[in-house]
Amino acid sequence: MTRAGIGYDLHRLSPDRKLILGGMEIPFDKGPLGHSDGDVLTHAICDALLGAAGLGDIGTHFPDTDPQWKGVSSLVFLREISVRIAARNLTIVHIDAIVVAERPRLGPHFPAMRESLARALSIPPELLNLKAKTHEGTGEIGRGEAIAAHAIATLSDAK
Ligand code: MG
Protein backbone atom coordinates (compact mmCIF):
# COMPACT_ATOMS: atom_id res chain seq x y z
CA MET A 1 0.00 0.00 0.00
CA THR A 2 1.15 3.55 -0.82
CA ARG A 3 0.20 6.54 1.32
CA ALA A 4 0.53 10.24 0.42
CA GLY A 5 0.71 13.13 2.89
CA ILE A 6 0.59 16.88 2.37
CA GLY A 7 2.41 19.58 4.33
CA TYR A 8 2.31 23.37 4.32
CA ASP A 9 4.03 26.03 6.37
CA LEU A 10 4.43 29.81 6.39
CA HIS A 11 6.56 32.04 8.59
CA ARG A 12 6.83 35.82 8.80
CA LEU A 13 10.24 37.23 7.88
CA SER A 14 12.17 39.57 10.17
CA PRO A 15 15.45 41.48 9.60
CA ASP A 16 17.03 40.13 12.80
CA ARG A 17 16.78 36.44 11.89
CA LYS A 18 18.90 34.04 9.82
CA LEU A 19 17.27 32.42 6.77
CA ILE A 20 17.40 28.66 7.34
CA LEU A 21 15.93 26.42 4.64
CA GLY A 22 16.36 22.67 4.40
CA GLY A 23 18.67 22.89 7.42
CA MET A 24 21.06 25.27 5.64
CA GLU A 25 21.76 28.93 6.25
CA ILE A 26 21.09 30.91 3.06
CA PRO A 27 22.71 34.37 2.78
CA PHE A 28 19.86 36.93 2.94
CA ASP A 29 18.93 40.10 4.83
CA LYS A 30 15.90 38.54 6.61
CA GLY A 31 14.85 35.29 8.21
CA PRO A 32 11.74 33.59 9.58
CA LEU A 33 10.33 34.36 13.02
CA GLY A 34 9.66 31.16 14.95
CA HIS A 35 10.18 29.19 18.13
CA SER A 36 12.57 26.82 16.36
CA ASP A 37 14.73 27.96 13.42
CA GLY A 38 11.54 28.67 11.40
CA ASP A 39 12.66 26.41 8.54
CA VAL A 40 9.45 26.38 6.45
CA LEU A 41 10.74 23.81 3.98
CA THR A 42 11.70 21.30 6.67
CA HIS A 43 8.45 21.95 8.56
CA ALA A 44 6.34 21.32 5.44
CA ILE A 45 8.24 18.08 4.76
CA CYS A 46 7.79 17.00 8.40
CA ASP A 47 4.02 17.50 8.14
CA ALA A 48 3.82 15.70 4.79
CA LEU A 49 5.65 12.69 6.26
CA LEU A 50 3.56 12.69 9.44
CA GLY A 51 0.39 12.96 7.34
CA ALA A 52 1.34 10.03 5.14
CA ALA A 53 2.16 7.95 8.21
CA GLY A 54 -1.11 8.89 9.93
CA LEU A 55 0.87 10.39 12.80
CA GLY A 56 -0.76 13.80 13.15
CA ASP A 57 1.26 16.98 12.75
CA ILE A 58 4.50 18.66 13.75
CA GLY A 59 2.85 20.80 16.44
CA THR A 60 1.65 17.68 18.27
CA HIS A 61 5.07 15.99 18.21
CA PHE A 62 7.19 19.09 18.87
CA PRO A 63 4.98 21.71 20.58
CA ASP A 64 6.31 25.28 20.44
CA THR A 65 5.37 25.63 24.12
CA ASP A 66 8.08 23.09 25.01
CA PRO A 67 11.37 24.88 25.85
CA GLN A 68 13.43 21.88 24.65
CA TRP A 69 12.57 22.82 21.02
CA LYS A 70 13.49 26.53 21.36
CA GLY A 71 16.05 27.47 18.71
CA VAL A 72 16.76 23.86 17.65
CA SER A 73 17.55 22.90 14.07
CA SER A 74 14.39 21.59 12.43
CA LEU A 75 16.52 18.76 11.01
CA VAL A 76 16.23 17.30 14.53
CA PHE A 77 12.45 17.05 13.99
CA LEU A 78 12.96 15.47 10.57
CA ARG A 79 15.40 12.89 11.95
CA GLU A 80 13.04 12.01 14.78
CA ILE A 81 10.08 11.70 12.38
CA SER A 82 12.08 9.35 10.13
CA VAL A 83 12.67 7.12 13.17
CA ARG A 84 8.94 7.15 14.05
CA ILE A 85 8.04 6.30 10.42
CA ALA A 86 10.47 3.37 10.36
CA ALA A 87 9.04 2.17 13.68
CA ARG A 88 5.63 1.96 11.94
CA ASN A 89 7.24 -0.24 9.27
CA LEU A 90 6.90 2.43 6.57
CA THR A 91 9.53 3.54 4.05
CA ILE A 92 9.86 6.84 2.18
CA VAL A 93 9.17 6.46 -1.55
CA HIS A 94 9.44 10.10 -2.59
CA ILE A 95 9.18 13.70 -1.36
CA ASP A 96 8.40 16.72 -3.52
CA ALA A 97 8.37 20.27 -2.19
CA ILE A 98 7.96 23.88 -3.31
CA VAL A 99 9.39 26.89 -1.48
CA VAL A 100 7.42 30.08 -2.18
CA ALA A 101 9.57 33.18 -1.71
CA GLU A 102 10.01 36.41 -3.66
CA ARG A 103 13.73 36.49 -2.83
CA PRO A 104 16.46 35.22 -2.65
CA ARG A 105 17.02 32.92 -5.62
CA LEU A 106 16.98 29.42 -4.15
CA GLY A 107 17.77 27.18 -7.13
CA PRO A 108 21.56 27.41 -6.65
CA HIS A 109 21.16 26.18 -3.04
CA PHE A 110 18.90 23.21 -3.83
CA PRO A 111 21.62 20.57 -4.39
CA ALA A 112 23.09 21.23 -0.93
CA MET A 113 19.63 21.46 0.66
CA ARG A 114 18.64 18.10 -0.83
CA GLU A 115 21.80 16.54 0.61
CA SER A 116 21.11 18.06 4.01
CA LEU A 117 17.46 16.92 4.12
CA ALA A 118 18.23 13.47 2.72
CA ARG A 119 20.98 12.96 5.30
CA ALA A 120 18.55 13.80 8.14
CA LEU A 121 16.07 11.27 6.73
CA SER A 122 18.70 8.60 5.88
CA ILE A 123 17.44 8.42 2.27
CA PRO A 124 19.21 8.98 -1.07
CA PRO A 125 18.89 12.63 -2.26
CA GLU A 126 17.33 11.32 -5.50
CA LEU A 127 14.13 10.60 -3.53
CA LEU A 128 13.74 14.29 -2.73
CA ASN A 129 12.75 16.95 -5.27
CA LEU A 130 12.81 20.69 -4.57
CA LYS A 131 11.26 23.54 -6.51
CA ALA A 132 11.02 27.30 -6.02
CA LYS A 133 8.29 29.77 -6.93
CA THR A 134 7.90 33.51 -6.45
CA HIS A 135 4.53 35.00 -5.50
CA GLU A 136 4.57 37.32 -8.52
CA GLY A 137 4.97 40.34 -6.24
CA THR A 138 1.52 39.87 -4.68
CA GLY A 139 0.43 39.54 -1.06
CA GLU A 140 2.68 39.21 1.98
CA ILE A 141 5.01 36.70 0.32
CA GLY A 142 5.36 38.93 -2.72
CA ARG A 143 6.21 41.90 -0.50
CA GLY A 144 8.93 39.86 1.21
CA GLU A 145 7.07 39.77 4.54
CA ALA A 146 6.68 35.99 4.62
CA ILE A 147 8.02 32.75 3.21
CA ALA A 148 6.04 29.53 2.66
CA ALA A 149 6.53 25.94 1.57
CA HIS A 150 4.34 23.09 0.34
CA ALA A 151 5.38 19.43 0.38
CA ILE A 152 4.00 16.04 -0.52
CA ALA A 153 5.44 12.79 0.74
CA THR A 154 4.76 9.24 -0.39
CA LEU A 155 5.33 6.28 1.91
CA SER A 156 4.91 2.59 1.36
CA ASP A 157 4.67 -0.39 3.66
CA ALA A 158 8.16 -1.82 4.17
CA LYS A 159 8.66 -5.18 2.49
MG1 MG B 1 6.80 26.24 10.97
Side-chain angles (χ1 to χ4, degrees), residues 44-71:
I45 292 173
C46 284
D47 261 351
L49 289 166
L50 288 170
L55 287 171
D57 68 19
I58 190 171
T60 312
H61 290 264
F62 312 100
D64 62 9
T65 49
D66 187 337
Q68 75 167 303
W69 309 125
K70 186 160 171 52

mmCIF file of all heavy atoms in Angstrom, residues 44-71:
data_model
loop_
_atom_site.group_PDB
_atom_site.id
_atom_site.type_symbol
_atom_site.label_atom_id
_atom_site.label_comp_id
_atom_site.label_asym_id
_atom_site.label_seq_id
_atom_site.Cartn_x
_atom_site.Cartn_y
_atom_site.Cartn_z
ATOM 1 N N ALA A 44 7.333 21.838 6.391
ATOM 2 C CA ALA A 44 6.338 21.316 5.441
ATOM 3 C C ALA A 44 6.610 19.839 5.150
ATOM 4 O O ALA A 44 5.680 19.030 5.072
ATOM 5 C CB ALA A 44 6.366 22.133 4.148
ATOM 6 N N ILE A 45 7.888 19.484 5.003
ATOM 7 C CA ILE A 45 8.237 18.076 4.756
ATOM 8 C C ILE A 45 7.885 17.220 5.978
ATOM 9 O O ILE A 45 7.341 16.114 5.838
ATOM 10 C CB ILE A 45 9.724 17.940 4.369
ATOM 11 C CG1 ILE A 45 9.963 18.578 2.996
ATOM 12 C CG2 ILE A 45 10.161 16.474 4.360
ATOM 13 C CD1 ILE A 45 11.436 18.652 2.579
ATOM 14 N N CYS A 46 8.160 17.731 7.170
ATOM 15 C CA CYS A 46 7.794 17.001 8.398
ATOM 16 C C CYS A 46 6.295 16.700 8.408
ATOM 17 O O CYS A 46 5.875 15.565 8.680
ATOM 18 C CB CYS A 46 8.117 17.833 9.640
ATOM 19 S SG CYS A 46 9.863 17.911 10.076
ATOM 20 N N ASP A 47 5.478 17.705 8.105
ATOM 21 C CA ASP A 47 4.024 17.503 8.141
ATOM 22 C C ASP A 47 3.555 16.567 7.038
ATOM 23 O O ASP A 47 2.608 15.797 7.242
ATOM 24 C CB ASP A 47 3.301 18.851 8.041
ATOM 25 C CG ASP A 47 2.866 19.365 9.408
ATOM 26 O OD1 ASP A 47 2.979 18.610 10.401
ATOM 27 O OD2 ASP A 47 2.395 20.514 9.483
ATOM 28 N N ALA A 48 4.186 16.615 5.866
ATOM 29 C CA ALA A 48 3.819 15.705 4.788
ATOM 30 C C ALA A 48 4.115 14.253 5.203
ATOM 31 O O ALA A 48 3.298 13.353 4.988
ATOM 32 C CB ALA A 48 4.576 16.062 3.508
ATOM 33 N N LEU A 49 5.268 14.045 5.818
ATOM 34 C CA LEU A 49 5.647 12.694 6.258
ATOM 35 C C LEU A 49 4.719 12.204 7.368
ATOM 36 O O LEU A 49 4.257 11.055 7.347
ATOM 37 C CB LEU A 49 7.095 12.693 6.753
ATOM 38 C CG LEU A 49 8.164 12.847 5.670
ATOM 39 C CD1 LEU A 49 9.513 13.169 6.304
ATOM 40 C CD2 LEU A 49 8.263 11.582 4.820
ATOM 41 N N LEU A 50 4.450 13.075 8.336
ATOM 42 C CA LEU A 50 3.559 12.688 9.443
ATOM 43 C C LEU A 50 2.163 12.384 8.911
ATOM 44 O O LEU A 50 1.513 11.430 9.354
ATOM 45 C CB LEU A 50 3.507 13.797 10.499
ATOM 46 C CG LEU A 50 4.777 13.957 11.333
ATOM 47 C CD1 LEU A 50 4.705 15.245 12.160
ATOM 48 C CD2 LEU A 50 4.986 12.752 12.259
ATOM 49 N N GLY A 51 1.711 13.192 7.933
ATOM 50 C CA GLY A 51 0.387 12.964 7.342
ATOM 51 C C GLY A 51 0.315 11.617 6.646
ATOM 52 O O GLY A 51 -0.643 10.855 6.827
ATOM 53 N N ALA A 52 1.334 11.305 5.865
ATOM 54 C CA ALA A 52 1.340 10.034 5.136
ATOM 55 C C ALA A 52 1.375 8.845 6.098
ATOM 56 O O ALA A 52 0.804 7.794 5.828
ATOM 57 C CB ALA A 52 2.532 9.985 4.188
ATOM 58 N N ALA A 53 2.041 9.037 7.230
ATOM 59 C CA ALA A 53 2.162 7.951 8.212
ATOM 60 C C ALA A 53 0.956 7.891 9.153
ATOM 61 O O ALA A 53 0.867 6.993 9.986
ATOM 62 C CB ALA A 53 3.445 8.126 9.025
ATOM 63 N N GLY A 54 0.043 8.859 9.026
ATOM 64 C CA GLY A 54 -1.107 8.894 9.928
ATOM 65 C C GLY A 54 -0.703 9.237 11.350
ATOM 66 O O GLY A 54 -1.292 8.746 12.315
ATOM 67 N N LEU A 55 0.312 10.082 11.475
ATOM 68 C CA LEU A 55 0.868 10.391 12.795
ATOM 69 C C LEU A 55 0.592 11.822 13.252
ATOM 70 O O LEU A 55 1.314 12.357 14.084
ATOM 71 C CB LEU A 55 2.377 10.127 12.789
ATOM 72 C CG LEU A 55 2.814 8.658 12.785
ATOM 73 C CD1 LEU A 55 4.316 8.543 12.562
ATOM 74 C CD2 LEU A 55 2.407 7.964 14.074
ATOM 75 N N GLY A 56 -0.417 12.456 12.666
ATOM 76 C CA GLY A 56 -0.765 13.798 13.150
ATOM 77 C C GLY A 56 0.080 14.881 12.511
ATOM 78 O O GLY A 56 0.388 14.823 11.323
ATOM 79 N N ASP A 57 0.503 15.857 13.310
ATOM 80 C CA ASP A 57 1.260 16.977 12.746
ATOM 81 C C ASP A 57 2.429 17.382 13.639
ATOM 82 O O ASP A 57 2.579 16.918 14.767
ATOM 83 C CB ASP A 57 0.341 18.168 12.436
ATOM 84 C CG ASP A 57 -0.235 18.818 13.684
ATOM 85 O OD1 ASP A 57 0.309 18.625 14.796
ATOM 86 O OD2 ASP A 57 -1.237 19.530 13.554
ATOM 87 N N ILE A 58 3.238 18.275 13.094
ATOM 88 C CA ILE A 58 4.496 18.660 13.747
ATOM 89 C C ILE A 58 4.245 19.334 15.102
ATOM 90 O O ILE A 58 5.013 19.131 16.051
ATOM 91 C CB ILE A 58 5.318 19.557 12.779
ATOM 92 C CG1 ILE A 58 6.728 19.798 13.299
ATOM 93 C CG2 ILE A 58 4.629 20.866 12.485
ATOM 94 C CD1 ILE A 58 7.637 20.495 12.282
ATOM 95 N N GLY A 59 3.151 20.102 15.202
ATOM 96 C CA GLY A 59 2.849 20.803 16.443
ATOM 97 C C GLY A 59 2.533 19.848 17.591
ATOM 98 O O GLY A 59 2.779 20.147 18.754
ATOM 99 N N THR A 60 1.977 18.683 17.253
ATOM 100 C CA THR A 60 1.648 17.678 18.268
ATOM 101 C C THR A 60 2.927 16.998 18.776
ATOM 102 O O THR A 60 3.074 16.747 19.962
ATOM 103 C CB THR A 60 0.715 16.605 17.660
ATOM 104 O OG1 THR A 60 -0.329 17.264 16.974
ATOM 105 C CG2 THR A 60 0.148 15.692 18.735
ATOM 106 N N HIS A 61 3.834 16.708 17.845
ATOM 107 C CA HIS A 61 5.066 15.987 18.215
ATOM 108 C C HIS A 61 6.099 16.904 18.873
ATOM 109 O O HIS A 61 6.848 16.476 19.749
ATOM 110 C CB HIS A 61 5.683 15.321 16.973
ATOM 111 C CG HIS A 61 4.879 14.180 16.469
ATOM 112 N ND1 HIS A 61 5.149 12.872 16.797
ATOM 113 C CD2 HIS A 61 3.786 14.141 15.671
ATOM 114 C CE1 HIS A 61 4.266 12.075 16.216
ATOM 115 N NE2 HIS A 61 3.434 12.819 15.517
ATOM 116 N N PHE A 62 6.170 18.161 18.388
ATOM 117 C CA PHE A 62 7.193 19.094 18.870
ATOM 118 C C PHE A 62 6.541 20.431 19.209
ATOM 119 O O PHE A 62 6.731 21.417 18.493
ATOM 120 C CB PHE A 62 8.284 19.281 17.802
ATOM 121 C CG PHE A 62 8.789 17.984 17.222
ATOM 122 C CD1 PHE A 62 8.330 17.526 15.987
ATOM 123 C CD2 PHE A 62 9.712 17.212 17.923
ATOM 124 C CE1 PHE A 62 8.779 16.330 15.459
ATOM 125 C CE2 PHE A 62 10.164 16.004 17.402
ATOM 126 C CZ PHE A 62 9.704 15.565 16.168
ATOM 127 N N PRO A 63 5.751 20.487 20.287
ATOM 128 C CA PRO A 63 4.983 21.713 20.583
ATOM 129 C C PRO A 63 5.879 22.928 20.832
ATOM 130 O O PRO A 63 6.932 22.799 21.476
ATOM 131 C CB PRO A 63 4.200 21.344 21.850
ATOM 132 C CG PRO A 63 4.801 20.101 22.382
ATOM 133 C CD PRO A 63 5.537 19.431 21.272
ATOM 134 N N ASP A 64 5.455 24.086 20.294
ATOM 135 C CA ASP A 64 6.306 25.280 20.442
ATOM 136 C C ASP A 64 6.221 25.858 21.849
ATOM 137 O O ASP A 64 6.861 26.864 22.163
ATOM 138 C CB ASP A 64 5.997 26.317 19.354
ATOM 139 C CG ASP A 64 4.581 26.842 19.421
ATOM 140 O OD1 ASP A 64 3.873 26.545 20.398
ATOM 141 O OD2 ASP A 64 4.178 27.539 18.471
ATOM 142 N N THR A 65 5.425 25.226 22.713
ATOM 143 C CA THR A 65 5.369 25.633 24.119
ATOM 144 C C THR A 65 6.429 24.896 24.938
ATOM 145 O O THR A 65 6.647 25.206 26.103
ATOM 146 C CB THR A 65 3.984 25.287 24.716
ATOM 147 O OG1 THR A 65 3.684 23.922 24.371
ATOM 148 C CG2 THR A 65 2.911 26.192 24.162
ATOM 149 N N ASP A 66 7.086 23.904 24.300
ATOM 150 C CA ASP A 66 8.077 23.090 25.009
ATOM 151 C C ASP A 66 9.467 23.709 24.847
ATOM 152 O O ASP A 66 9.979 23.798 23.725
ATOM 153 C CB ASP A 66 8.051 21.668 24.421
ATOM 154 C CG ASP A 66 8.928 20.698 25.192
ATOM 155 O OD1 ASP A 66 9.871 21.165 25.883
ATOM 156 O OD2 ASP A 66 8.678 19.490 25.104
ATOM 157 N N PRO A 67 10.080 24.171 25.960
ATOM 158 C CA PRO A 67 11.370 24.876 25.853
ATOM 159 C C PRO A 67 12.480 24.027 25.229
ATOM 160 O O PRO A 67 13.443 24.583 24.701
ATOM 161 C CB PRO A 67 11.708 25.239 27.301
ATOM 162 C CG PRO A 67 10.737 24.526 28.173
ATOM 163 C CD PRO A 67 9.581 24.082 27.334
ATOM 164 N N GLN A 68 12.349 22.698 25.231
ATOM 165 C CA GLN A 68 13.429 21.878 24.655
ATOM 166 C C GLN A 68 13.560 22.071 23.139
ATOM 167 O O GLN A 68 14.588 21.741 22.554
ATOM 168 C CB GLN A 68 13.277 20.397 25.015
ATOM 169 C CG GLN A 68 12.202 19.652 24.264
ATOM 170 C CD GLN A 68 12.332 18.134 24.437
ATOM 171 O OE1 GLN A 68 13.369 17.530 24.142
ATOM 172 N NE2 GLN A 68 11.274 17.519 24.930
ATOM 173 N N TRP A 69 12.508 22.622 22.471
ATOM 174 C CA TRP A 69 12.568 22.825 21.020
ATOM 175 C C TRP A 69 12.941 24.261 20.655
ATOM 176 O O TRP A 69 12.995 24.606 19.494
ATOM 177 C CB TRP A 69 11.233 22.455 20.355
ATOM 178 C CG TRP A 69 10.734 21.104 20.733
ATOM 179 C CD1 TRP A 69 9.514 20.802 21.275
ATOM 180 C CD2 TRP A 69 11.434 19.848 20.605
ATOM 181 N NE1 TRP A 69 9.432 19.454 21.497
ATOM 182 C CE2 TRP A 69 10.581 18.841 21.096
ATOM 183 C CE3 TRP A 69 12.700 19.476 20.128
ATOM 184 C CZ2 TRP A 69 10.945 17.500 21.133
ATOM 185 C CZ3 TRP A 69 13.070 18.145 20.172
ATOM 186 C CH2 TRP A 69 12.199 17.181 20.665
ATOM 187 N N LYS A 70 13.188 25.120 21.659
ATOM 188 C CA LYS A 70 13.487 26.533 21.357
ATOM 189 C C LYS A 70 14.836 26.648 20.649
ATOM 190 O O LYS A 70 15.860 26.207 21.180
ATOM 191 C CB LYS A 70 13.471 27.358 22.643
ATOM 192 C CG LYS A 70 13.636 28.851 22.379
ATOM 193 C CD LYS A 70 13.146 29.691 23.556
ATOM 194 C CE LYS A 70 13.517 31.151 23.387
ATOM 195 N NZ LYS A 70 13.115 31.736 22.114
ATOM 196 N N GLY A 71 14.813 27.216 19.443
ATOM 197 C CA GLY A 71 16.049 27.468 18.707
ATOM 198 C C GLY A 71 16.714 26.232 18.114
ATOM 199 O O GLY A 71 17.803 26.342 17.555
#
